[in-house]
Amino acid sequence: MSRVFNFSAGPAMLPQEVLERAREEMLDWHGTGMSVMEMSHRGKEFMSIAEKATADLRELMAVPDDYEILFLQGGASSQFAMVPMNLLRDKTKADYLNTGAWSKKAIGEAKKFCDVNVAATTEADGFSSAPAQDEWQISADAAYVHYTPNETIGGVEFNYIPETGDVPLVADMSSTILSRPIDVSKYGVIYAGAQKNIGPAGLTVVIVRKDLIGQTLDKTPAMFDYQVHAEAGSMANTPPTYGWYLAGLVFEWLKEKGGLQGMAEINKRKADKLYQAIDTSDFYANPVRPDCRSWMNVPFTLANPDLDKTFLEEAAKQGLTTLKGHRSVGGMRASIYNAMPEAGVDTLVEFMADFEKRNG
Ligand SMILES: *Cc1c(COP(=O)(O)O)cnc(C)c1O
């Protein structure tokens, strides 16, 4: 058996070194005679794993001291509700940017809790760009501004961090977190499902500025209250211990790779190679405006969609898997998160050129 280059959008590839280390430690973590999965979350062994992972994430992202880092469950989708429950405070309105499928879901959930002002939308252009800040219609009394820095399905990424003044900025970073350095201090809340760029599914990371917590809506369930989790060190209930541990291994791997600056250089190079292969060919196309193209999710179409099936079959034979585009957009999508080796992108680019030569 050999490992494939898996271009899945999520759950996605994990670094091979991380999986190997997890395998080595599977039955007996550091001489304890047990797997991390079997440990009490309150025991000193797991506590040390949790503390190290949290500290490493804080270091990697340079998270300032006035932010909590929470390791939760429920996926990014639960955050679509937790954000309004926690951040509305005494307000009744929030601003949302609508740049694709995930923004839309976040908006739909927020509408259950407040008036949503869609401050900008790129729906008219088929979600193929991110709106410039001077195109937004923000409201005067919004509790926060929510956006999706990287739209995983459309492959659209903001190339700037919005300026929202005193209004907290909230970001669904599920598919771009840890791909490069970002200035956390510009945000009120950053959240991400782990299964794209952090670790396995089942873990959700939330980074929240401390002054924003503790003012939830009436009747907010305890498990949906950031303060409950912050006060308990994310152990208000049993946390997703194994996911937290694996995320910690990924953080160690990232540090060895030169941290987020090191990853940014690799990621930029990977994305450039793939977009170049698409742009220099009349056989492949990407619909996204070049300055808004995602480094992480690269959708592309074939000039003749009748060839899609053959493309996917032949790619899979070369160990290039899960390239089928999202069911809502068709075509192909190559997700090239941190754990996708550069060799995976090189192999895909070679395959694409060869396929074009034979079918173009
Ligand atoms: C995958 C994804 C989600 C959904 O995450 P779940 O963890 O499945 O809830 C939300 N937002 C973005 C941007 C995503 O990429």
Side-chain angles (χ1 to χ4, degrees):
M1 186 219 60
S2 65
R3 288 191 37 93
V4 295
F5 294 118
N6 171 9
F7 292 89
S8 169
M13 283 186 91
L14 285 163
Q16 182 156 328
E17 296 92 324
V18 165
L19 295 176
E20 284 168 353
R21 171 120 176 247
R23 178 176 63 188
E24 279 161 30
E25 296 179 343
M26 175 63 73
L27 298 186
D28 177 10
W29 185 83
H30 295 202
T32 55
M34 61 175 99
S35 164
V36 174
M37 273 181 259
E38 302 167 305
M39 286 176 185
S40 162
H41 56 297
R42 300 191 193 284
K44 69 176 192 314
E45 294 83 6
F46 186 76
M47 291 294 272
S48 75
I49 291 170
E51 274 162 25
K52 175 146 197 325
T54 311
D56 281 347
L57 180 57
R58 194 176 284 279
E59 182 187 328
L60 277 168
M61 290 184 71
V63 179
D65 289 341
D66 57 333
Y67 285 74
E68 296 283 355
I69 300 179
L70 308 176
F71 288 81
L72 308 180
Q73 306 180 54
S77 302
S78 292
Q79 294 306 312
F80 297 162
M82 277 176 83
V83 164
M85 284 175 164
N86 284 269
L87 287 217
L88 278 171
R89 294 160 293 158
D90 54 350
K91 299 220 159 76
T92 55
K93 195 183 255 187
D95 284 346
Y96 277 71
L97 304 188
N98 180 21
T99 53
W102 290 114
S103 304
K104 274 194 147 173
K105 289 211 164 165
I107 289 167
E109 202 71 349
K111 279 183 174 162
K112 297 175 184 170
F113 300 95
C114 63
D115 290 338
V116 170
N117 170 49
V118 177
T121 175
T122 52
E123 192 152 17
D125 75 1
F127 293 129
S128 60
S129 66
Q133 176 126 24
D134 59 13
E135 292 165 18
W136 306 7
Q137 309 283 325
I138 54 163
S139 36
D141 49 352
Y144 59 89
V145 178
H146 180 284
Y147 83 120
T148 311
N150 185 69
E151 286 282 358
T152 320
I153 294 173
V156 174
E157 191 165 284
F158 280 74
N159 59 15
Y160 68 97
I161 298 182
E163 270 307 331
T164 54
D166 291 339
V167 183
L169 179 63
V170 178
D172 173 1
M173 275 196 202
S174 295
S175 51
T176 185
I177 193 167
L178 298 174
S179 66
R180 75 206 75 181
I182 51 140
D183 183 353
V184 173
S185 73
K186 302 264 193 215
Y187 295 88
V189 178
I190 291 168
Y191 64 87
Q195 66 275 22
K196 279 121 190 189
N197 225 2
I198 300 176
L203 171 72
T204 312
V205 170
V206 176
I207 301 172
V208 52
R209 213 173 66 213
K210 287 179 181 170
D211 64 292
L212 295 173
I213 63 179
Q215 302 160 71
T216 50
L217 298 183
D218 223 18
K219 297 197 173 146
T220 294
M223 288 300 104
F224 280 34
D225 184 339
Y226 291 146
Q227 186 170 42
V228 168
H229 293 292
E231 281 176 353
S234 302
M235 298 208 188
N237 69 326
T238 315
T241 50
Y242 200 73
W244 197 339
Y245 154 75
L246 273 183
L249 296 186
V250 171
F251 301 152
E252 285 182 27
W253 177 83
L254 285 170
K255 285 169 71 175
E256 281 161 20
K257 290 269 169 191
L260 301 193
Q261 189 55 51
M263 280 324 297
E265 285 160 25
I266 301 168
N267 286 330
K268 173 88 169 59
R269 213 164 50 226
K270 279 155 50 185
D272 282 350
K273 281 182 185 174
L274 190 44
Y275 286 115
Q276 208 201 334
I278 294 165
D279 288 346
T280 53
S281 136
D282 294 327
F283 190 78
Y284 302 106
N286 167 283
V288 181
R289 210 175 72 198
D291 63 322
C292 307
R293 284 173 168 179
S294 169
W295 292 10
M296 297 280 105
N297 310 97
V298 183
F300 61 94
T301 52
L302 273 52
N304 176 4
D306 292 343
L307 290 169
D308 284 4
K309 198 163 161 272
T310 318
F311 181 94
L312 290 165
E313 282 167 6
E314 291 187 10
K317 281 196 198 125
Q318 311 260 329
L320 304 163
T321 70
T322 335
L323 281 161
K324 194 172 171 25
H326 190 270
R327 59 191 180 278
S328 64
V329 291
M332 311 296 155
R333 174 175 51 171
S335 294
I336 50 174
Y337 301 116
N338 289 345
M340 170 60 68
E342 195 160 350
V345 174
D346 292 339
T347 310
L348 174 61
V349 166
E350 276 166 38
F351 169 76
M352 287 168 67
D354 180 59
F355 187 85
E356 176 176 353
K357 213 179 288 163
R358 288 183 286 109
N359 297 281

